[in-house]
Amino acid sequence: MKSEPIRVLQVVGRMDRGGIDTMIMNLYRNIDREKVQFDFLAHFGREAAYNDEIRAMGGRIYEMSALRDEKRVFFWRFFSYLRALNKFFREHKEYKVIHGHMTHTAALYMPIAKKNGVSCRIVHSHSTHSKEGLLGLLTTFLHKFATKDATDFFACSKAAQKWFFTDEIINSGKIHLVANAIDAKRFRYDPEKRKIMREQLELGDNLAIVHVARFRAEKNQTFMIDVLQEALKVRQNITLIYVGDGPLEDDVKAKVKACGVDEYVRFLGMRGDVQDILQAADVFVLPSIWEGLPLTAIEAQANGLHCVVSDSLSQELNALGMVKYVSRDDMGAWVDALFEAGKLPRRDTYDEVVASGYDINSTVPWLQEFYLSNS
């Protein structure tokens, strides 16, 4: 008789094409689902971009009200959130492995999972910085307790590991660096596809600068409008392309309008064909104030794109030697770096991505065995 797969509960915000969400989906699509099945404890209470695909692959999605919305923290939700968590884990004793991607909130759901018999409790650090404002104060407080009831500890980079975990945990032997792996074949550079996409996007001979991310404060998208204005003093045939959505999208659009650069900027929204849009690009940019290890920059390099990023980002990002780090205090250096990157030859980097350990086929076998041996 065929045995049922183990079910691993992924604790997430929502599965909406963000970097963490896409990384989880890369794993989910490639794992042996006859042995390991993913279910999702999702927050924020609305349908998300990946939900239909998750259900089609046999995953279950459970909605959990969040402690906050996109902009505000609701302290009055705290006790109702704890009651909902207790109810969920009492009713779902089938989970022996929980993989927590909402790291600070792990201070709340991990002890409840432990009390209800979840034997493997993973906290996964995807970042290097707390949020700002009231939410930052809350997460800083929760940080102190987030790892107390975990059994295993994952991080996307050494920087994310150092930021979130104590030296005692790092030296415990229970911590693992898990690369933000991609399906490298999907992002492989294709000159014919590039030609088609540039025609579709009507880019002509413009320098196409692409940024892929949610519109959030730490992503610093308005900075690129300032860079664009400086670059336009040198040449006019430039198109800045934003891919994604988020709570600050309207703010960025307002700045574009106020600066009078509408004709040079495209907002493509949330897309399921990022790999094709990257084909059309000449350079990828990431001016973030902080990141863990951004999946989008790995995808860009897998597409043969040179990247210009903030110098506050991890050096681990430069696995293929295609990343130029620039200070956000030096606008001229950003302009120079963009023009230089746009002149560099495109190349097929597939073998390099595989060798660097960022291909999904390097990560999935290890993770699958980890889940199975700890279930």
mmCIF file of all heavy atoms in Angstrom, residues 188-204:
data_model
loop_
_atom_site.group_PDB
_atom_site.id
_atom_site.type_symbol
_atom_site.label_atom_id
_atom_site.label_comp_id
_atom_site.label_asym_id
_atom_site.label_seq_id
_atom_site.Cartn_x
_atom_site.Cartn_y
_atom_site.Cartn_z
ATOM 1 N N ARG A 188 17.419 30.974 -17.726
ATOM 2 C CA ARG A 188 18.577 30.912 -18.629
ATOM 3 C C ARG A 188 18.439 31.943 -19.757
ATOM 4 O O ARG A 188 17.371 32.092 -20.358
ATOM 5 C CB ARG A 188 18.692 29.508 -19.203
ATOM 6 C CG ARG A 188 20.039 29.207 -19.835
ATOM 7 C CD ARG A 188 20.191 27.720 -20.078
ATOM 8 N NE ARG A 188 21.572 27.388 -20.429
ATOM 9 C CZ ARG A 188 22.035 26.145 -20.508
ATOM 10 N NH1 ARG A 188 21.230 25.119 -20.241
ATOM 11 N NH2 ARG A 188 23.299 25.923 -20.830
ATOM 12 N N TYR A 189 19.516 32.651 -20.040
ATOM 13 C CA TYR A 189 19.502 33.698 -21.055
ATOM 14 C C TYR A 189 19.177 33.125 -22.427
ATOM 15 O O TYR A 189 19.742 32.117 -22.858
ATOM 16 C CB TYR A 189 20.844 34.415 -21.085
ATOM 17 C CG TYR A 189 20.954 35.457 -22.173
ATOM 18 C CD1 TYR A 189 19.999 36.460 -22.289
ATOM 19 C CD2 TYR A 189 22.011 35.438 -23.086
ATOM 20 C CE1 TYR A 189 20.083 37.425 -23.286
ATOM 21 C CE2 TYR A 189 22.124 36.397 -24.076
ATOM 22 C CZ TYR A 189 21.149 37.380 -24.174
ATOM 23 O OH TYR A 189 21.238 38.325 -25.163
ATOM 24 N N ASP A 190 18.265 33.801 -23.117
ATOM 25 C CA ASP A 190 17.804 33.369 -24.435
ATOM 26 C C ASP A 190 17.750 34.596 -25.350
ATOM 27 O O ASP A 190 16.846 35.431 -25.217
ATOM 28 C CB ASP A 190 16.421 32.732 -24.312
ATOM 29 C CG ASP A 190 15.881 32.225 -25.644
ATOM 30 O OD1 ASP A 190 16.393 32.635 -26.702
ATOM 31 O OD2 ASP A 190 14.930 31.420 -25.627
ATOM 32 N N PRO A 191 18.708 34.753 -26.275
ATOM 33 C CA PRO A 191 18.745 35.944 -27.136
ATOM 34 C C PRO A 191 17.461 36.144 -27.944
ATOM 35 O O PRO A 191 17.036 37.293 -28.158
ATOM 36 C CB PRO A 191 19.948 35.673 -28.058
ATOM 37 C CG PRO A 191 20.803 34.719 -27.298
ATOM 38 C CD PRO A 191 19.861 33.857 -26.518
ATOM 39 N N GLU A 192 16.827 35.050 -28.380
ATOM 40 C CA GLU A 192 15.590 35.173 -29.156
ATOM 41 C C GLU A 192 14.454 35.697 -28.291
ATOM 42 O O GLU A 192 13.667 36.549 -28.714
ATOM 43 C CB GLU A 192 15.224 33.830 -29.787
ATOM 44 C CG GLU A 192 16.083 33.463 -30.979
ATOM 45 C CD GLU A 192 16.044 34.529 -32.075
ATOM 46 O OE1 GLU A 192 14.926 34.962 -32.454
ATOM 47 O OE2 GLU A 192 17.127 34.954 -32.523
ATOM 48 N N LYS A 193 14.358 35.168 -27.078
ATOM 49 C CA LYS A 193 13.327 35.644 -26.144
ATOM 50 C C LYS A 193 13.577 37.112 -25.803
ATOM 51 O O LYS A 193 12.633 37.899 -25.663
ATOM 52 C CB LYS A 193 13.310 34.786 -24.884
ATOM 53 C CG LYS A 193 12.386 35.278 -23.778
ATOM 54 C CD LYS A 193 10.919 35.286 -24.207
ATOM 55 C CE LYS A 193 10.338 33.899 -24.219
ATOM 56 N NZ LYS A 193 8.848 33.944 -24.419
ATOM 57 N N ARG A 194 14.819 37.496 -25.670
ATOM 58 C CA ARG A 194 15.152 38.895 -25.385
ATOM 59 C C ARG A 194 14.615 39.799 -26.502
ATOM 60 O O ARG A 194 13.987 40.835 -26.230
ATOM 61 C CB ARG A 194 16.669 39.067 -25.251
ATOM 62 C CG ARG A 194 17.118 40.536 -25.166
ATOM 63 C CD ARG A 194 18.632 40.633 -24.969
ATOM 64 N NE ARG A 194 19.098 42.007 -25.146
ATOM 65 C CZ ARG A 194 19.012 42.964 -24.230
ATOM 66 N NH1 ARG A 194 18.431 42.708 -23.066
ATOM 67 N NH2 ARG A 194 19.484 44.166 -24.467
ATOM 68 N N LYS A 195 14.838 39.404 -27.727
ATOM 69 C CA LYS A 195 14.369 40.204 -28.861
ATOM 70 C C LYS A 195 12.852 40.351 -28.844
ATOM 71 O O LYS A 195 12.306 41.451 -29.015
ATOM 72 C CB LYS A 195 14.828 39.552 -30.161
ATOM 73 C CG LYS A 195 14.433 40.319 -31.412
ATOM 74 C CD LYS A 195 14.944 39.613 -32.665
ATOM 75 C CE LYS A 195 14.505 40.359 -33.926
ATOM 76 N NZ LYS A 195 14.977 39.685 -35.160
ATOM 77 N N ILE A 196 12.162 39.233 -28.589
ATOM 78 C CA ILE A 196 10.693 39.242 -28.552
ATOM 79 C C ILE A 196 10.182 40.159 -27.440
ATOM 80 O O ILE A 196 9.273 40.974 -27.648
ATOM 81 C CB ILE A 196 10.159 37.808 -28.359
ATOM 82 C CG1 ILE A 196 10.438 36.968 -29.602
ATOM 83 C CG2 ILE A 196 8.654 37.819 -28.045
ATOM 84 C CD1 ILE A 196 10.211 35.484 -29.406
ATOM 85 N N MET A 197 10.781 40.040 -26.248
ATOM 86 C CA MET A 197 10.309 40.821 -25.104
ATOM 87 C C MET A 197 10.596 42.306 -25.278
ATOM 88 O O MET A 197 9.798 43.155 -24.881
ATOM 89 C CB MET A 197 10.925 40.299 -23.803
ATOM 90 C CG MET A 197 10.423 38.932 -23.367
ATOM 91 S SD MET A 197 8.611 38.865 -23.190
ATOM 92 C CE MET A 197 8.323 40.104 -21.913
ATOM 93 N N ARG A 198 11.728 42.642 -25.853
ATOM 94 C CA ARG A 198 12.022 44.057 -26.072
ATOM 95 C C ARG A 198 11.039 44.664 -27.070
ATOM 96 O O ARG A 198 10.634 45.822 -26.936
ATOM 97 C CB ARG A 198 13.476 44.247 -26.531
ATOM 98 C CG ARG A 198 14.478 44.059 -25.392
ATOM 99 C CD ARG A 198 15.893 44.439 -25.827
ATOM 100 N NE ARG A 198 16.062 45.875 -26.007
ATOM 101 C CZ ARG A 198 16.391 46.730 -25.045
ATOM 102 N NH1 ARG A 198 16.544 46.305 -23.794
ATOM 103 N NH2 ARG A 198 16.546 48.016 -25.317
ATOM 104 N N GLU A 199 10.636 43.878 -28.047
ATOM 105 C CA GLU A 199 9.629 44.363 -28.993
ATOM 106 C C GLU A 199 8.279 44.531 -28.302
ATOM 107 O O GLU A 199 7.577 45.535 -28.521
ATOM 108 C CB GLU A 199 9.520 43.391 -30.168
ATOM 109 C CG GLU A 199 10.718 43.432 -31.103
ATOM 110 C CD GLU A 199 10.637 42.392 -32.206
ATOM 111 O OE1 GLU A 199 9.686 41.564 -32.181
ATOM 112 O OE2 GLU A 199 11.524 42.392 -33.086
ATOM 113 N N GLN A 200 7.908 43.549 -27.468
ATOM 114 C CA GLN A 200 6.632 43.632 -26.770
ATOM 115 C C GLN A 200 6.573 44.841 -25.840
ATOM 116 O O GLN A 200 5.538 45.508 -25.724
ATOM 117 C CB GLN A 200 6.391 42.349 -25.961
ATOM 118 C CG GLN A 200 5.985 41.150 -26.786
ATOM 119 C CD GLN A 200 5.625 39.954 -25.926
ATOM 120 O OE1 GLN A 200 5.522 40.042 -24.696
ATOM 121 N NE2 GLN A 200 5.436 38.807 -26.565
ATOM 122 N N LEU A 201 7.688 45.129 -25.190
ATOM 123 C CA LEU A 201 7.741 46.252 -24.252
ATOM 124 C C LEU A 201 8.097 47.571 -24.944
ATOM 125 O O LEU A 201 8.191 48.606 -24.269
ATOM 126 C CB LEU A 201 8.757 45.950 -23.139
ATOM 127 C CG LEU A 201 8.380 44.797 -22.203
ATOM 128 C CD1 LEU A 201 9.548 44.422 -21.294
ATOM 129 C CD2 LEU A 201 7.156 45.143 -21.364
ATOM 130 N N GLU A 202 8.291 47.508 -26.251
ATOM 131 C CA GLU A 202 8.578 48.698 -27.063
ATOM 132 C C GLU A 202 9.758 49.493 -26.500
ATOM 133 O O GLU A 202 9.695 50.701 -26.280
ATOM 134 C CB GLU A 202 7.326 49.587 -27.158
ATOM 135 C CG GLU A 202 6.146 48.879 -27.823
ATOM 136 C CD GLU A 202 4.910 49.754 -27.893
ATOM 137 O OE1 GLU A 202 4.835 50.738 -27.121
ATOM 138 O OE2 GLU A 202 4.020 49.465 -28.712
ATOM 139 N N LEU A 203 10.857 48.767 -26.281
ATOM 140 C CA LEU A 203 12.029 49.385 -25.672
ATOM 141 C C LEU A 203 12.986 49.998 -26.697
ATOM 142 O O LEU A 203 13.831 50.832 -26.333
ATOM 143 C CB LEU A 203 12.774 48.347 -24.822
ATOM 144 C CG LEU A 203 12.027 47.902 -23.554
ATOM 145 C CD1 LEU A 203 12.750 46.732 -22.893
ATOM 146 C CD2 LEU A 203 11.874 49.059 -22.574
ATOM 147 N N GLY A 204 12.879 49.589 -27.942
ATOM 148 C CA GLY A 204 13.782 50.138 -28.953
ATOM 149 C C GLY A 204 15.236 49.946 -28.555
ATOM 150 O O GLY A 204 15.649 48.861 -28.176
#
